[in-house]
Amino acid sequence: EDQVTQSPEALRLQEGESSSLNCSYTVSGLRGLFWYRQDPGKGPEFLFTLYSAGEEKEKERLKATLTKKESFLHITAPKPEDSATYLCAVQALNAGKSTFGDGTTLTVKP
Amino acid sequence: ETGVTQTPRHLVMGMTNKKSLKCEQHLGHNAMYWYKQSAKKPLELMFVYNFKEQTENNSVPSRFSPECPNSSHLFLHLHTLQPEDSALYLCASSQRDLTDTQYFGPGTRLTVL
C-alpha cells in the first residue's frame, strides 16, 4: 500500500528564516510526486510535479527536490504570505489515484 | 468565471435533509473528481468521472450520489447523512485522467447536524 508521511506537522518561522518541509513516501513504482498549497477555506493549489530522483523545480521562494524515498520543499526567505498548509501526494505507476499526506501547516511571522 | 467553481461554499443540513453540491469547471477538461477532506486526515478520493462516465467509486456510502451531466458539470447529491460526514468537499478537474495535474475548486464546507 502506498504511504505518504509529511513532517513536521506544523512549522513556525520568522520572516526571512529559511527552512524545509519533508515528504517521505513508499510506493510501488513512482509515476509522480505532487506538491500543493492550501490556504484556509480554499482548495489545494497545484505547485509542482516531480517525476524522477534528482529532479528539482523552483517557483519564487519555493524549491522542490526528489530522491527515491523523499521529497523536500525548501522555502527560502519566507514571507507571511507563504503561510499555508502544504500537501504532498504520490501517484504510483499501477494506480490511478494519488495518495495524499496529512500536510504541513506553515506559519510565517513578520 | 475561471478555473473550478463550487456552490454552495457552506452548507448546514440535518440528517434527514436532501441537498446537492455543484461543481463547474471552465478549463475544458474531460475528467472531474470529488474529494472529501476531514480535519487531521488526508484527502480522500470519492468519485472519478472521465468523459461523463463514472470510472471509479472508492467504496463511498450510497448516501452520496454523484451525477455528471456533461464534462463541465459535476454534482454530489446528499441524503440521510451522518454527523461524521461533516467535512470539506472538494471538486477537481484534469485534462484527461488522474495522471494529469488536477485543479481544485474552493470546496463546500458541509456540516451535518
Side-chain angles (χ1 to χ4, degrees):
Chain A
E1 184 179 333
D2 302 335
Q3 288 191 323
V4 178
T5 303
Q6 291 189 246
S7 61
E9 183 176 327
L11 181 63
R12 297 173 66 91
L13 300 173
Q14 287 297 126
E15 184 171 3
E17 179 186 2
S18 301
S19 188
S20 297
L21 282 56
N22 178 263
C23 172
S24 297
Y25 66 91
T26 55
V27 65
S28 53
L30 180 70
R31 178 188 296 277
L33 183 143
F34 309 91
W35 281 100
Y36 292 87
R37 168 193 170 129
Q38 186 172 22
D39 292 298
K42 295 187 177 182
E45 175 189 348
F46 170 76
L47 293 175
F48 305 108
T49 307
L50 301 168
Y51 295 101
S52 57
E55 188 175 0
E56 299 181 352
K57 288 193 176 175
E58 288 188 65
K59 179 180 180 180
E60 296 180 352
R61 295 176 292 282
L62 301 177
K63 178 180 177 180
T65 62
L66 181 66
T67 72
K68 289 185 178 180
K69 295 182 179 180
E70 59 192 348
S71 176
F72 290 95
L73 185 64
H74 306 277
I75 303 177
T76 302
K79 298 181 177 182
E81 52 262 42
D82 294 322
S83 297
T85 295
Y86 291 84
L87 301 173
C88 172
V90 296
Q91 187 175 64
L93 286 169
N94 61 355
K97 65 179 181 178
S98 297
T99 300
F100 283 81
D102 291 344
T104 293
T105 299
L106 173 67
T107 304
V108 182
K109 294 292 188 181
Chain B
E1 292 273 17
T2 58
V4 181
T5 58
Q6 290 186 244
T7 55
R9 294 295 310 278
H10 300 272
L11 178 63
V12 179
M13 60 186 290
M15 290 191 288
T16 58
N17 291 158
K18 289 185 179 181
K19 297 286 184 183
S20 296
L21 309 185
K22 179 183 176 181
C23 174
E24 184 174 0
Q25 58 95 1
H26 309 267
L27 301 168
H29 289 167
N30 294 302
M32 297 186 76
Y33 317 95
W34 281 116
Y35 283 87
K36 176 182 179 181
Q37 188 174 38
S38 304
K40 305 296 184 184
K41 292 179 68 176
L43 274 167
E44 302 172 56
L45 181 63
M46 300 174 71
F47 300 105
V48 177
Y49 277 84
N50 293 107
F51 295 91
K52 304 186 299 178
E53 299 298 320
Q54 187 180 135
T55 57
E56 198 163 330
N57 174 341
N58 286 291
S59 303
V60 180
S62 60
R63 58 185 183 270
F64 295 91
S65 175
E67 178 189 0
C68 188
N70 55 60
S71 294
S72 299
H73 294 84
L74 186 64
F75 295 89
L76 188 62
H77 304 299
L78 316 171
H79 61 97
T80 59
L81 294 192
Q82 304 297 312
E84 58 264 31
D85 296 322
S86 299
L88 181 68
Y89 287 85
L90 292 160
C91 174
S93 71
S94 67
Q95 185 62 53
R96 184 188 51 201
D97 57 31
L98 283 164
T99 63
D100 296 315
T101 300
Q102 295 179 50
Y103 295 87
F104 286 83
T108 294
R109 173 66 64 186
L110 174 67
T111 303
V112 182
L113 302 176

